[in-house]
């Protein structure tokens, strides 16, 4: 599933290609995504010039003058650019014509979203307004994070995966950051010492940055004439390694369910 680093890598790859292009026709496969702007809404964008591709949590925000489209990649979405000549791929759902080529969206499982609003409405949009701080932005402070933990009786892993605490920490990155910080994912958030919470915050930032670095090499895949981009794997310490040897102490890693999510951790190294 595309997580924050994949979405940010997609943004970095596409922004220089998209900015300055004029929008033309919109075409749609006829199949609905989880949320899908109507064809008349999308047709209103014709003639506008793209001025930015931003990101908030896992939403890509394409700005065209005073109008905005939000793209969420869901479970299997792929957003990419290609030239004029290419036929529709299987599971391709919409295309937006550009001065040079097409912006295209493919999504086999159709959990993705395409949302239209005005730039003025964006901050109060229901999908955006309650989002917490961005983990890679300086506005996410130690003090805010510690205060959020001190207020919560929930397990720490559940809390850091809640987008009102901090956005973009999916199951993979939560598990990896907790392992790196040596914190048991089941620990009640309010019971963890501030010093350890600071360390956890640092490890969340590190694991996301490491994924971003590994994604850099796949950037060219987002602008291709013959296919859609894939997502990248990185060296993981715990996620997906249940019952395998802990890389620190060599004991088998445990698998539990926590907050409805599979959770792998080391009972010895994480306390
Ligand atoms: Zn261990």
């Amino acid at each position: 599933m595309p997580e924050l680093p994949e979405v940010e890598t997609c943004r970095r790859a596409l922004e220089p290609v998209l900015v300055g292009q004029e929008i033309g026709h919109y075409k749609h496969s006829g199949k609905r995504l989880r949320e899908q702007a109507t064809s008349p809404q999308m047709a209103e964008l014709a003639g506008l010039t793209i001025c930015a591709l931003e990101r908030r949590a896992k939403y890509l925000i394409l700005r065209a003058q005073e109008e905005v489209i939000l793209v969420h990649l869901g479970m299997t979405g792929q957003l990419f650019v290609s030239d004029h000549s290419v036929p529709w791929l299987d599971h391709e759902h919409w295309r937006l014509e550009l001065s040079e080529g097409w912006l295209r969206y493919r999504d086999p499982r159709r959990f993705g979203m395409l949302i239209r609003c005005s730039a003025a409405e964006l901050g109060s949009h229901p999908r955006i307004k309650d989002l917490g701080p961005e983990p890679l932005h300086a506005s996410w402070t130690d003090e805010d994070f510690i205060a959020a933990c001190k207020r919560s009786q929930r397990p720490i892993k559940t809390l850091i995966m809640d987008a009102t605490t901090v956005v973009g920490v999916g199951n993979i990155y939560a598990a990896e950051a907790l392992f790196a910080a040596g914190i048991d994912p089941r620990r009640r958030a309010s019971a963890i010492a501030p010093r350890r919470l600071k360390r956890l915050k640092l490890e969340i930032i590190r694991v996301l940055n490491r994924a971003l670095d590994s994604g850099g090499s796949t950037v060219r895949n987002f602008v291709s004439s013959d296919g859609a981009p894939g997502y990248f794997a990185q060296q993981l310490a715990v996620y997906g390694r249940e019952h395998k040897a802990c890389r620190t102490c060599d004991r088998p890693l445990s698998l539990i369910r926590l907050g409805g999510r599979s959770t792998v951790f080391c009972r010895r190294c994480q306390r």
Side-chain angles (χ1 to χ4, degrees):
M1 178 181 341
E3 296 279 356
L4 186 145
E6 283 88 350
V7 178
E8 176 61 18
T9 299
C10 176
R11 189 197 71 75
R12 290 178 186 180
L14 292 181
E15 186 179 42
V17 180
L18 296 176
V19 168
Q21 296 223 46
E22 190 179 306
I23 296 174
H25 291 107
Y26 167 76
K27 293 188 177 181
H28 177 220
S29 69
K31 288 197 182 133
R32 264 189 72 84
L33 300 172
R34 176 150 63 116
E35 193 168 332
Q36 171 116 27
T38 64
S39 292
Q41 282 179 322
M42 294 300 291
E44 288 167 9
L45 298 170
L48 300 182
T49 301
I50 297 172
C51 48
L53 183 64
E54 299 168 358
R55 181 188 56 75
R56 181 74 175 97
K58 294 205 288 179
Y59 293 91
L60 288 161
I61 301 170
L62 184 120
R63 291 182 183 269
Q65 298 170 230
E66 299 309 311
E67 301 300 324
V68 166
I69 59 175
L70 297 178
V71 177
H72 192 286
L73 304 176
M75 307 276 288
T76 53
Q78 298 163 313
L79 187 70
F80 58 103
V81 170
S82 78
D83 66 25
H84 281 290
S85 61
V86 184
W88 285 63
L89 296 170
D90 284 349
H91 306 295
E92 191 171 338
H93 291 291
W94 57 262
R95 286 182 174 202
L96 200 55
E97 190 180 24
L98 307 168
S99 326
E100 296 169 38
W102 294 89
L103 177 63
R104 301 165 60 179
Y105 182 78
R106 178 177 182 269
D107 188 351
R109 296 189 63 184
R110 287 195 275 138
F111 282 103
M113 295 184 258
L114 173 64
I115 297 167
R116 258 288 321 270
C117 69
S118 71
E121 292 163 340
L122 181 64
S124 56
H125 192 282
R127 297 272 181 195
I128 298 291
K129 66 180 168 62
D130 297 323
L131 293 172
E134 286 286 329
L136 302 179
H137 198 275
S139 61
W140 188 37
T141 64
D142 287 355
E143 293 69 29
D144 287 348
F145 180 55
I146 291 167
C149 292
K150 289 297 160 199
R151 284 194 301 268
S152 176
Q153 306 305 305
R154 288 188 291 169
I156 185 67
K157 178 164 178 270
T158 310
L159 186 70
I160 61 176
M161 288 181 64
D162 182 335
T164 62
T165 308
V166 57
V167 300
V169 183
N171 203 21
I172 298 176
Y173 300 115
E176 294 296 312
L178 285 161
F179 178 78
I183 295 173
D184 187 321
R186 300 168 296 179
R187 280 289 295 268
R188 197 190 328 145
S190 63
I192 302 171
R195 172 183 56 79
R196 301 185 75 209
L197 292 172
K198 277 191 204 175
R199 172 77 189 281
L200 175 60
K201 178 172 169 284
L202 193 67
E203 296 296 350
I204 289 171
I205 294 167
R206 272 192 190 144
V207 72
L208 291 171
N209 273 324
R210 217 160 39 231
L212 268 177
D213 291 345
S214 75
S217 60
T218 65
V219 159
R220 64 192 154 82
N221 294 342
F222 290 91
V223 186
S224 82
S225 55
D226 55 1
Y231 295 104
F232 33 93
Q234 60 170 330
Q235 179 85 331
L236 299 174
V238 285
Y239 183 85
R241 296 193 67 244
E242 58 269 21
H243 315 310
K244 294 193 174 134
C246 169
R247 294 205 165 119
T248 304
C249 73
D250 223 31
R251 303 230 308 185
L253 296 171
S254 298
L255 172 65
I256 59 168
R257 297 287 292 180
L258 190 65
R261 306 300 299 271
S262 66
T263 299
V264 182
F265 71 109
C266 177
R267 288 177 194 271
R268 177 175 284 184
C269 299
Q270 293 177 253
R271 296 182 181 262

